[in-house]
Amino acid sequence: MAIKKTFPGQEIAKELRRDSTAAENQAWALLRAKRMGFKLRRQHQVGPFFLDFYCPSLNLAIELDGSCHTQMMLKPKIWNGNSI
């Protein structure tokens, strides 16, 4: 029996994909399956953040704004790749 490899935040990423916004669903319908010539990942974890879409070959992150961002009460933070 194979042991499935998991990573921290995997369950959160699954929830975010399952509960995605209308804008994310529409974008994913256009971007998935290499339709643009590049492979993209949904809800890709980078440090403590989850990107809506990420293209590893281009090192490109796509983040869509939506109502879920306006409902969160977070202090603005700058992430430098190592810590917050």
Side-chain angles (χ1 to χ4, degrees):
M1 183 165 119
I3 297 174
K4 187 172 182 178
K5 189 175 180 181
T6 61
F7 59 91
Q10 185 172 9
E11 291 302 316
I12 295 170
K14 281 183 182 179
E15 284 181 30
L16 290 170
R17 285 191 296 270
R18 186 183 63 235
D19 300 333
S20 58
T21 65
E24 290 171 353
N25 287 333
Q26 290 174 356
W28 185 241
L30 296 172
L31 298 171
R32 67 185 218 178
K34 295 186 181 180
R35 290 183 182 165
M36 304 302 269
F38 300 99
K39 182 176 180 173
L40 283 107
R41 299 176 184 166
R42 284 178 73 191
Q43 302 303 338
H44 178 74
Q45 186 174 10
V46 177
F49 303 105
F50 289 87
L51 303 171
D52 289 336
F53 303 100
Y54 177 68
C55 178
S57 63
L58 297 176
N59 199 26
L60 172 71
I62 301 171
E63 187 66 26
L64 302 177
D65 287 337
S67 61
C68 63
H69 296 291
T70 59
Q71 293 172 3
M72 290 190 267
M73 300 299 288
L74 300 175
K75 290 182 181 178
K77 296 180 181 179
I78 297 173
W79 184 61
N80 65 9
N82 297 320
S83 63
I84 294 184

